Amino acid sequence: SKPTLYYYFRSKDDILFECHRLAIAAVTEHETPLTAPHQASGIERLKEFLSRYVHMVIDDFGTCLVMTGTNALEPENRSTVVEGRRQINEMLEEILEDGNKDGTLDCPEPKITAMLIFGAMNWVPRWYQREGSLSVEDLSERLIAFVMRAIASEKEAGTEV
């Protein structure tokens, strides 16, 4: 109920902010090879990042993150969300750069590639239906395969996605 909701949150802004915060944390706060380049190759980290991001973006909190802008947030919360989004972007760019360095990816322009990947993934909540014939896992595998066909290095091309 509305009174119960406002018992835990002081405003609509706080509710929206918490949705954004949870979505950002779903991508950025894990102890996995995603954040540890010495534990996995660039291509392995990219696959993990893409899978994690797809799962986040179709979750209710993730849909909120990509479907609502930050302008509705109060300045302090807005700056926190913008910083979280920047961290996610930097994670992907770093993974692409590391993949270039270790030879598992062929991505001459990581910044532009990251924008293209985010453009594709952030559109998913607009068309994906959980009740449809495509499971989240199938969607994740197809998106990963699509990206791998575009930027996997020649030595990685043809390996199982």
Side-chain angles (χ1 to χ4, degrees):
S1 70
K2 192 173 182 178
T4 303
L5 191 59
Y6 284 105
Y7 175 80
Y8 294 101
F9 298 97
R10 62 183 170 88
S11 67
K12 290 178 185 176
D13 182 75
D14 284 350
I15 296 167
L16 182 59
F17 173 71
E18 186 63 14
C19 291
H20 282 269
R21 192 193 65 73
L22 290 169
I24 290 166
V27 176
T28 61
E29 296 179 5
H30 283 83
E31 293 294 325
T32 65
L34 182 58
T35 56
H38 60 280
Q39 294 179 6
S41 68
I43 198 168
E44 291 167 333
R45 291 172 57 220
L46 178 59
K47 289 176 184 178
E48 181 182 341
F49 178 90
L50 295 172
S51 177
R52 187 181 299 170
Y53 197 90
V54 167
H55 282 83
M56 177 277 294
V57 85
I58 59 146
D59 178 67
D60 291 336
F61 299 125
T63 298
C64 177
L65 179 69
V66 299
M67 300 282 279
T68 63
T70 58
N71 291 338
L73 293 167
E74 293 175 5
E76 182 180 324
N77 288 343
R78 182 181 316 126
S79 64
T80 301
V81 169
V82 167
E83 173 61 20
R85 288 179 175 197
R86 185 191 62 72
Q87 287 175 350
I88 292 171
N89 188 70
E90 285 181 355
M91 285 176 74
L92 179 54
E93 285 183 33
E94 181 181 305
I95 290 167
L96 296 172
E97 289 168 2
D98 289 347
N100 281 337
K101 290 175 189 170
D102 69 20
T104 58
L105 298 174
D106 183 12
C107 177
E109 299 184 61
K111 186 173 190 147
I112 291 172
T113 302
M115 287 188 275
L116 290 168
I117 290 170
F118 283 127
M121 290 191 302
N122 289 343
W123 196 254
V124 169
R126 297 186 186 276
W127 59 264
Y128 181 74
Q129 296 178 0
R130 291 178 204 191
E131 308 80 35
S133 61
L134 188 62
S135 73
V136 179
E137 289 306 317
D138 289 339
L139 172 63
S140 179
E141 288 174 14
R142 289 178 186 188
L143 183 106
I144 291 168
F146 180 82
V147 172
M148 291 307 115
R149 283 191 299 274
I151 64 173
S153 69
E154 285 187 26
K155 81 175 191 178
E156 293 293 328
T159 62
E160 188 174 320
V161 174

